[in-house]
Amino acid sequence: MEKIYMIPVNDAYAESCGCPICRLHEKAENNYLEYYLGPSLMEPDTRKITNKTGFCPVHMGKLNKAVTNRLGLGLVMHTHLKDFNDDYTPKLKASIPAKAGILKGRNPDYKQKLNNMADLIERRVSSCPICDNLNDAMGHYVEVICWMFSHDSEFKEKFIESEFHCMPHTALLLRQAAKLSQNDAADFVEALYNNNSRTFDSLIADVEYFTLKFDYRNTDKPWGTSKNSIQRSMRFLSSDGRDFDEQQSKK
């Protein structure tokens, strides 16, 4: 088992609020954003990758907000645009359909060429080294989580007592649990079930109470834990809760 992943896993589960795997994802993502805006930008091997892939729309936006290295981002964008243009523009020109005329009939081949061009664009705009690295890191994290649950009693207790695991990360855990022995999987999934069923019950009750507060007859009743129940539900259903905080809801 890769011990390098155990420390951040333990740290994430030491906190009592929210989904621990979301915390792991956010920290890893920030590290990769810093990496691709740092000295690695000028490394030939890194530039070969970013020239070809660029970044997905989500991570382009996050790189744009991280204004620590505007020049570096500009250099990456410049060479990526050139690579994209060299790959795409000649192929687009070659895919322009010939017009059908009296002497030249219709040729349905143009439809496949246009679909191929659409596929090329979609592949290129969705490719992203940050996503690739994150997917690899998260795969290691969930593997470590399942292993530690079965071999580390202290961590098992942290897992059982964690507030919740968001739905997308619950799916990751279940796929990893399918690789465990039947007995280990039974204990792990039961803990996951207990953890998330408590969260479902709590959120359903809080969101219902939130809606009832809009009835004038309940105006003077205290909000209790329902006031931020919409945002907490969003965090539970989503693997990225940073846009679901209470301050955003007041804007």
Side-chain angles (χ1 to χ4, degrees), residues 63-79:
L63 287 166
N64 183 54
K65 287 182 179 179
V67 293
T68 54
N69 189 354
R70 305 300 288 176
L71 173 59
L73 188 57
L75 292 170
V76 169
M77 189 60 64
H78 177 243
T79 51

Side-chain angles (χ1 to χ4, degrees), residues 44-57:
D45 289 344
T46 301
R47 290 297 286 277
K48 282 182 182 178
I49 294 171
T50 57
N51 287 350
K52 185 60 63 179
T53 64
F55 298 95
C56 70

Side-chain angles (χ1 to χ4, degrees), residues 205-206 208-214 217-228:
D206 278 353
E208 181 183 25
Y209 187 82
F210 176 90
T211 63
L212 293 174
K213 273 289 293 175
F214 288 83
R217 292 168 294 185
N218 298 323
T219 302
D220 295 331
K221 291 183 178 179
W223 282 95
T225 58
S226 70
K227 197 164 189 178
N228 66 349

Side-chain angles (χ1 to χ4, degrees), residues 151-201:
H151 295 84
D152 184 333
S153 58
E154 289 186 12
F155 176 78
K156 184 176 183 177
E157 191 63 28
K158 289 179 184 177
F159 185 93
I160 291 171
E161 296 301 322
S162 56
E163 183 180 5
F164 65 81
H165 294 89
C166 70
M167 288 292 95
H169 289 145
T170 295
L172 284 182
L173 291 171
L174 288 172
R175 292 191 188 283
Q176 186 62 37
K179 301 175 184 179
L180 299 175
S181 70
Q182 187 168 343
N183 287 345
D184 285 344
D187 290 341
F188 184 81
V189 176
E190 182 179 12
L192 192 59
Y193 161 78
N194 290 333
N195 175 286
N196 279 4
S197 62
R198 289 194 305 268
T199 305
F200 265 116
D201 291 343

Side-chain angles (χ1 to χ4, degrees), residues 60-249:
M60 264 200 282
K62 291 181 178 182
L63 287 166
N64 183 54
K65 287 182 179 179
V67 293
T68 54
N69 189 354
R70 305 300 288 176
L71 173 59
L73 188 57
L75 292 170
V76 169
M77 189 60 64
H78 177 243
T79 51
H80 174 57
L81 283 169
K82 289 173 65 177
D83 187 276
F84 202 148
N85 181 54
D86 291 344
D87 181 28
Y88 158 79
T89 303
K91 292 175 183 175
L92 181 62
K93 185 175 181 180
S95 70
I96 298 172
K99 292 185 177 180
I102 296 174
L103 299 177
K104 194 170 184 179
R106 297 181 182 277
N107 184 351
D109 288 350
Y110 77 91
K111 296 181 180 180
Q112 187 58 52
K113 289 182 179 179
L114 296 182
N115 282 318
N116 289 343
M117 285 306 304
D119 291 342
L120 183 152
I121 294 169
E122 288 172 352
R123 282 196 305 271
R124 293 210 58 153
V125 299
S126 63
S127 62
C128 179
I130 294 177
C131 287
D132 292 342
N133 287 326
L134 270 176
N135 289 336
D136 183 64
M138 299 314 294
H140 287 297
Y141 281 137
V142 295
E143 183 180 1
V144 166
I145 288 166
C146 286
W147 187 90
M148 291 177 69
F149 182 90
S150 300
H151 295 84
D152 184 333
S153 58
E154 289 186 12
F155 176 78
K156 184 176 183 177
E157 191 63 28
K158 289 179 184 177
F159 185 93
I160 291 171
E161 296 301 322
S162 56
E163 183 180 5
F164 65 81
H165 294 89
C166 70
M167 288 292 95
H169 289 145
T170 295
L172 284 182
L173 291 171
L174 288 172
R175 292 191 188 283
Q176 186 62 37
K179 301 175 184 179
L180 299 175
S181 70
Q182 187 168 343
N183 287 345
D184 285 344
D187 290 341
F188 184 81
V189 176
E190 182 179 12
L192 192 59
Y193 161 78
N194 290 333
N195 175 286
N196 279 4
S197 62
R198 289 194 305 268
T199 305
F200 265 116
D201 291 343
S202 174
L203 287 174
I204 289 169
D206 278 353
V207 172
E208 181 183 25
Y209 187 82
F210 176 90
T211 63
L212 293 174
K213 273 289 293 175
F214 288 83
D215 186 323
Y216 72 93
R217 292 168 294 185
N218 298 323
T219 302
D220 295 331
K221 291 183 178 179
W223 282 95
T225 58
S226 70
K227 197 164 189 178
N228 66 349
S229 60
I230 301 297
Q231 291 73 36
R232 287 189 289 114
S233 299
M234 290 177 175
R235 285 194 285 269
F236 179 53
L237 296 172
S238 168
S239 61
D240 186 350
R242 284 170 289 176
D243 289 332
F244 305 141
D245 59 53
E246 290 71 31
Q247 293 304 314
Q248 290 283 344
S249 68

